Amino acid sequence: MWNCLPGNLRALAAPLCKVEIHQDAFKGLNNLRSLYLSGNSLTSLPWLPPSLTVLGLDLNHIYDIVQPFKTPLLQQLNLSKNCYYANPCNQSFYIHEDVFRDLPKLESLNLGYNNLTAVPAGLPSSLVILDLKENTISEIKEGDFSNLTNLRNLNLEWNCQRCDHAARPCFPCPNNAPLSLQPKSLYIENSSLFYLSLRGNSLRTFPVGFFRSLSRLKKLDLSDNLLAFAMRNGTFFAELRSLTWISLIYNYEPLKTFSELILSPHLGEISGLKTLLLSGNFFHTLSMQSLDILAKLRQLVELELRMNFISSCNMTVLSQLHSLTTVILSQNMLTFFACNANKSSESNSLQIMQNQASFMSHTIPETIVLPDRRIISAGLWETQEQETMVISDNDKDIPQIPTMWDFKRKFCENQLFFDLSQNDILSINRNVFKGMEKAVCLDLSYNYMSQTLKSGQFLPISKLVYLNLAYNRIDLYFKEAFMELNATLKALDLSSNDFHFQMRGMGHRFDFIQNLPLLEALSFSNNGIGMRIDHELNSTSLKYLYFSGNRLDIMWDSSSRGQYVRFFQNLVNLIYLDISENQLRSLSPDMLSNLPISLRALSVSRNFLNYFPWDNITSLSNLRHLNLSANHIAHLTSKVIDFGANLYLLDLSHNRIGSLPEKFFSKALSLRYLYLDNNVIKHLNHLSLPDFLGNISALQMLTLHNNQFDCTCNSSWFADHLRTSNVEIPHLTTYVRCEFPESLQGESVVSMDRRSCQEIFGSFAFLLSSFLAIAVTAMPLLKHLYGWDLWYCLQVLWAAHKGYSQLPGKDIRSLSTAYDAFVVFDTENQAVRDWVYNELLVQLENTGDRKFCLSLEERDWVPGLSCIENLHSAVYNSRKTIFVLTSDHFGASVNGVIRQAFFMVQQRLLDEKVDVAMLVLLGKVFPKLRYLQLRKRLCRKSVLSWPTNPRAQPLFWSRMRMALSSDNLRNYDSNMSESFI
């Protein structure tokens, strides 16, 4: 599954893809039970095994189904998102009724997001779950579900969408009409329907008798409709007597806000209702008539009134609803500036309570037992509370660290909880808590209260166990803060109250903590705490401290002289400490050693750590969970680290670790969970993880995905261990990939075949042994037939290997010569004579830093000596011989002096192993003679051409001087050999 998502759902950079499944791909899988083909852009189905019970076909292009699946045992069929706005098919989804006739055991059918225009015909009576959400069904006809007697969950939401409140592309019914319903659209004889969702269908009312047959309906979702007036006077509530949960959120009338909420009197007839969700209906207060109706709901547990623009609310009346445990009033405009209840409201409240008592005494049977809302006291918590575990003792469970949300759930379950978050409460006063005297949990977050807390402010709610003051501007200077809650308060959230901590020069004190003897969980997260605070925290009860998002890097900096090193030391019963996101770059041994010895879990994630004192981890003998993820750790110490007998989770993910030292984990015998993902690990050898991949290891989970593994033959053992290990390795086949070599980049590590490495070595050994066998067999035969020839060839090869040696004393730089160069040219060619006398002699003998001494035939030869003697003397008494040539010199007639001089230069090359020849070519075009081409290939610097561009002449003379000053042999091309082989 998820191999090739449809076009609009793929990432922009993802390449085009196509999944092809052969028609008989599953032919031999006779025992296959579950087949998931989702996200493959399939347009047709292959042959399906008749043994299938689960078939997933979501996110494909299957929208015209006519042929039966021939899977009579199928129980679950998922066909959602095959034809909708993100995966368009430009037609209506169609499925023939014969398809369902072949599925007698089908229990779950998901056809959501498919552009269905009507409820499919022929649905099997075995259905228990039917999902038809986000289609274009405009009418539910009578009898569409009449045979579905086993149906328990029916989802019809977002078919005639309400577009003024849509979060995604909206497709309303024609003329913005609501979903058309008939009185018997949902009629099912002996209906088993438990959950029904009609959310987002633009409904304004319901036909009489619409819900009458749904006698077992417990949960009803009517949110995101237009039922604002139906909630006031609708009679359909009388048909829902069996409901326990109903959602009426976001049923506001467009562009209208009611002064008060008026509920239909028939709502009070739902005697078993436990949860009532009324958020997003836009009114300013609850009418007394509505409060009277709520009082009749004797089993109401949760009342949600979020985002309604409520400016006043009679909390006293709400608190008198004995069964009510959760009141959510967040995201409103409550201020509590004045007392909520005046005399008239108090009398009205009393009258409501009297009516409620009368109603209950006449209508509640004696056998009904109301939910027990216990008032938590200190003694009860001491005897009945079960400690929230940092690490689960069940070996099969992944250890979880509790959050403040978990403490809210733990302490507030079945207890009276008021949520007043995100209102306009500017300060805490007694008016705020009017009617909440019995509250056990209170959420006042996101009110931006700027206030200094002192004693007595929470006196009306002295039974409070959980208090959330996050995202305010609370000043925590006085030690008397929260003093009135010292007998009950167990969880306190003061996160994101950084306003006063960011003020320069303002001091802060945390003495109030030691005055709360039952406090177990405290959050100081995201406060930017870094200076001018108490040097130590003191508490004997605190077990969980959330200190992330502060500035421990300032508190523990060397400039602070160690005054905050013992900041956490006196929290003697602390179990969990979170100091993540504190911009720490290192953790010194003193800092680690001064943490409470009782610590079981320590989180230092999302810092800038490049060093961790592993040697001092033994000071935390009870440590079980260490989180160092998302830091800059690049190297682990090569020492043997004693992790202790209790540490069984180590998180090193999202660091820069490139390798694991051999001895680092050698004593980590109790480690069960090791997270190494998202590092840059390339190699893992046998010694770095000695026992973790074996059957005797305690390790249960190892994460390795998103590393840069080198998949060479040297690491093939690692792939074998991954395949055979009992350790759970998440994303093993998908994200544990090779990075090197490039030919295997992106391939799964477990796809490496160790036999391929053996085949490489085996092939090499076979070729070597074959060559040796052939050589040993052929040598005697060759010696007998071609012995003398072989001997001669060996001598030639040896000579080629040895080459020629330089004659002693003949290095051209050590030669004692009279001239730097002998210039040979055609004296009868007037143009050449002019160039030699007017250019060459002037540039080399009269200009430049070094002036060369040249020998010329007409100027320097000795009169009376023969021509050959003068030529011999000129060649052998000069370091170089310059041949000035034109294209005419390569014809049939060549000057005799030039010819003899060339022979002497060549003879000198053979005798003395010195190359003294230089060629100056005057002209544009020269014949492609072999010697000239070879000369250019062998020593390019000794062949110079006179440039036709005057601006290039200085470069020519520079090269000429360099050639005259250097040895030609040293300028030979390095690819040429001295030998003739």
Side-chain angles (χ1 to χ4, degrees), residues 56 63 78 120 149 155 233 309 323 343 438 445 523 537 544 624 663 684 694 696 698 799 802 810 876 924 928 942:
Y63 43 79
N78 296 327
T149 56
N155 191 344
N233 49 33
F309 305 111
S323 60
K343 291 183 179 181
K438 296 181 180 180
S445 60
S523 177
L537 298 179
Y544 304 89
R624 302 180 183 180
K663 300 179 181 180
L684 286 177
I696 62 174
K802 186 177 181 181
K810 297 298 182 179
Y876 279 87
K924 297 182 179 179
K928 293 185 178 180
S942 66

Side-chain angles (χ1 to χ4, degrees), residues 86 93-94 111 120 209 369 504 554 565 585 605 667 740 764 870 925 957:
F93 186 94
Y94 176 74
L111 293 173
V369 180
R504 294 184 178 181
I554 298 176
V565 171
R585 298 189 178 274
S605 64
K667 288 191 176 181
F740 306 99
F764 176 76
N870 273 308
V925 180
W957 294 119

Side-chain angles (χ1 to χ4, degrees), residues 55 455 490 663:
L55 178 58
S455 177
K490 290 179 174 289
K663 300 179 181 180

Side-chain angles (χ1 to χ4, degrees), residues 17-37:
C17 59
K18 183 178 181 180
V19 176
E20 294 184 0
I21 301 178
H22 192 272
Q23 182 65 24
D24 297 329
F26 308 112
K27 199 78 171 183
L29 305 177
N30 296 324
N31 295 320
L32 188 64
R33 295 288 183 270
S34 300
L35 179 59
Y36 299 95
L37 298 174

Side-chain angles (χ1 to χ4, degrees), residues 313-330:
C313 182
N314 195 328
M315 306 298 291
T316 303
V317 177
L318 291 178
S319 65
Q320 297 301 319
L321 303 177
H322 296 297
S323 60
L324 198 62
T325 62
T326 303
V327 180
I328 301 176
L329 287 163
S330 62

Side-chain angles (χ1 to χ4, degrees), residues 437-546:
E437 292 80 3
K438 296 181 180 180
V440 176
C441 300
L442 177 61
D443 190 345
L444 290 171
S445 60
Y446 290 97
N447 277 285
Y448 297 98
M449 295 180 290
S450 184
Q451 186 175 6
T452 301
L453 295 184
K454 299 179 181 180
S455 177
Q457 286 153 324
F458 294 94
L459 193 61
I461 49 174
S462 57
K463 296 180 175 62
L464 211 59
V465 174
Y466 171 87
L467 175 60
N468 186 356
L469 292 171
Y471 292 94
N472 284 289
R473 296 179 175 182
I474 304 298
D475 183 9
L476 302 169
Y477 186 79
F478 294 99
K479 65 179 180 180
E480 293 83 8
F482 309 107
M483 180 70 74
E484 57 275 20
L485 302 178
N486 61 354
T488 57
L489 192 62
K490 290 179 174 289
L492 176 60
D493 192 345
L494 294 170
S495 60
S496 299
N497 277 271
D498 59 334
F499 180 77
H500 291 93
F501 289 104
Q502 300 298 330
M503 290 186 176
R504 294 184 178 181
M506 187 171 184
H508 310 278
R509 299 169 62 188
F510 297 143
D511 292 340
F512 71 91
I513 299 176
Q514 60 186 342
N515 295 328
L516 299 173
L518 297 180
L519 188 64
E520 295 183 10
L522 173 63
S523 177
F524 275 134
S525 298
N526 302 312
N527 280 311
I529 301 172
M531 58 181 63
R532 294 187 177 89
I533 57 175
D534 294 333
H535 293 171
E536 296 179 0
L537 298 179
N538 296 279
S539 176
T540 58
S541 62
L542 193 63
K543 296 180 179 179
Y544 304 89
L545 176 59
Y546 302 87

Side-chain angles (χ1 to χ4, degrees), residues 861-903:
W861 281 15
V862 179
L865 291 179
S866 63
C867 179
I868 194 65
E869 288 177 328
N870 273 308
L871 182 60
H872 182 274
S873 176
V875 171
Y876 279 87
N877 289 329
S878 299
R879 295 180 65 247
K880 293 290 180 71
T881 300
I882 302 175
F883 294 91
V884 180
L885 305 174
T886 63
S887 58
D888 297 337
H889 292 146
F890 295 94
S893 60
V894 179
N895 185 287
V897 175
I898 296 176
R899 182 185 299 273
Q900 291 301 324
F902 178 76
F903 289 153

